[in-house]
Amino acid sequence: MNRAAQIRLAVSITALALVAAACGENPLADVGRRSSDWIGGGEGQPPVVPSGSTVPAPALRNGSGQVVWANDDLGFPSIPDPRQVVAEVWDRSSQIDRFVQASRFEISVALPGVKFPGVLPATVQHVTSQLVYNPAVGELSESLLAAFGLWAVEPYSKSKLAGQAAVLSVMVPAPADATSTQDATGCGRFSERDLAACEQVTLEAGTGWLLEDASGKTLVWLDGDYRYELFHRPEVDTELVKEMAETMVPLAEVGEAVAAAHRIGPG
């Protein structure tokens, strides 16, 4: 460094020192610390999540009226009579398959008082709905009455394993559901199933059971005249599944505004 440059540097340092002295006893003492805070994400900066963090993302939700109901175009029952609706849906089917596509409006009449979750996982964008028959007699099955597929993709555009997040089954309560001779947890009622685990859980509406097998987990609970079984794949948070069970609303209310416009139901 030449002599002129050394003089300019000395003048600059002296001027800086004079400014510092005028501003307080030691105003530059924490400049370096504040700079490092800014670089490293100090106060006011978003928190840094360490690589590999196991903190789960919050479970996001959709209202059940916000999704696309794939069978809405099948329309409304001609009259609000359960037996008539069951017969009409069967008559338009192949009369071979057990599972027959039906609109939510038809199912809400065919199964009086049937309910559906008020909230769904945000990944669910489509819902399919079916009544389940005994093809030998053309009437509803004696056990499984209806099934709702909860899809993350357009229904049947991918395999169920790849595109279906959950399935809600509506069933007739089993004989064991009406007895009080179960074991302490009530898991004995599922002894015929090949389960890896069974756990009794408490829901706002009462007792439920969380079952686990090789394909995923199923939450089972009783509500009114029906037994509900909500199968969900591992990517669906079990706590959200419990919330689904606790927000059940009459299926007729999910499409209430549309149904009212078509004069379906009482009044």
Side-chain angles (χ1 to χ4, degrees), residues 205-220:
T207 301
W209 297 270
L210 186 62
L211 317 180
E212 184 173 2
D213 60 20
S215 58
K217 295 182 179 180
T218 301
L219 181 63
V220 181

Side-chain angles (χ1 to χ4, degrees), residues 147-236:
F148 298 90
L150 279 55
W151 295 81
V153 300
E154 184 175 348
Y156 311 112
S157 63
K158 293 184 178 181
S159 69
K160 291 182 178 180
L161 181 61
Q164 200 176 69
V167 177
L168 176 67
S169 299
V170 183
M171 310 181 73
V172 175
D177 294 328
T179 68
S180 57
T181 58
Q182 301 297 322
D183 56 274
T185 64
C187 286
R189 70 189 69 208
F190 308 109
S191 59
E192 77 284 0
R193 304 192 188 191
D194 184 15
L195 297 177
C198 173
E199 172 190 358
Q200 182 174 299
V201 296
T202 300
L203 304 172
E204 290 183 6
T207 301
W209 297 270
L210 186 62
L211 317 180
E212 184 173 2
D213 60 20
S215 58
K217 295 182 179 180
T218 301
L219 181 63
V220 181
W221 72 99
L222 303 172
D223 190 340
D225 295 330
Y226 305 104
R227 171 173 168 171
Y228 296 90
E229 299 200 3
L230 182 52
F231 166 79
H232 54 290
R233 302 196 189 280
E235 61 268 21
V236 180

Side-chain angles (χ1 to χ4, degrees), residues 4 23-24 37 88 102-103 111 123 135-136 139 143 217 249 263:
C23 294
D37 283 349
E88 287 179 355
S103 72
L111 303 178
T123 53
E139 296 179 356
S143 55
K217 295 182 179 180
V249 297
R263 302 178 185 276

Side-chain angles (χ1 to χ4, degrees), residues 69-86:
W69 287 76
N71 290 330
D72 273 6
D73 59 354
L74 293 175
F76 301 83
S78 58
I79 58 174
D81 176 77
R83 293 183 63 86
Q84 180 68 26
V85 172
V86 169

Side-chain angles (χ1 to χ4, degrees), residues 3-207:
R3 180 64 176 170
Q6 289 175 338
I7 292 172
R8 285 195 297 271
L9 178 59
V11 170
S12 298
I13 293 173
T14 301
L16 182 58
L18 290 173
V19 172
C23 294
E25 190 173 281
N26 194 12
L28 300 181
D30 64 347
V31 167
R33 180 180 61 80
R34 289 180 181 175
S35 298
S36 63
D37 283 349
W38 177 76
I39 294 170
E43 184 177 356
Q45 300 299 315
V48 177
V49 178
S51 176
S53 172
T54 58
V55 177
L60 301 179
R61 297 155 177 77
N62 271 334
S64 56
Q66 295 175 284
V67 299
V68 177
W69 287 76
N71 290 330
D72 273 6
D73 59 354
L74 293 175
F76 301 83
S78 58
I79 58 174
D81 176 77
R83 293 183 63 86
Q84 180 68 26
V85 172
V86 169
E88 287 179 355
V89 172
W90 178 248
D91 286 344
R92 70 163 183 254
S93 74
S94 68
Q95 301 188 3
I96 297 175
D97 294 333
R98 295 180 61 218
F99 293 83
V100 180
Q101 303 293 337
S103 72
R104 53 177 156 157
F105 314 110
E106 291 172 319
I107 294 177
S108 68
V109 173
L111 303 178
V114 69
K115 296 181 179 180
F116 191 82
V119 298
L120 301 172
T123 53
V124 172
Q125 302 295 322
H126 302 264
V127 176
T128 52
S129 47
Q130 302 162 321
L131 286 173
V132 185
Y133 288 80
N134 176 352
V137 294
E139 296 179 356
L140 291 181
S141 164
E142 295 181 356
S143 55
L144 177 59
L145 303 173
F148 298 90
L150 279 55
W151 295 81
V153 300
E154 184 175 348
Y156 311 112
S157 63
K158 293 184 178 181
S159 69
K160 291 182 178 180
L161 181 61
Q164 200 176 69
V167 177
L168 176 67
S169 299
V170 183
M171 310 181 73
V172 175
D177 294 328
T179 68
S180 57
T181 58
Q182 301 297 322
D183 56 274
T185 64
C187 286
R189 70 189 69 208
F190 308 109
S191 59
E192 77 284 0
R193 304 192 188 191
D194 184 15
L195 297 177
C198 173
E199 172 190 358
Q200 182 174 299
V201 296
T202 300
L203 304 172
E204 290 183 6
T207 301

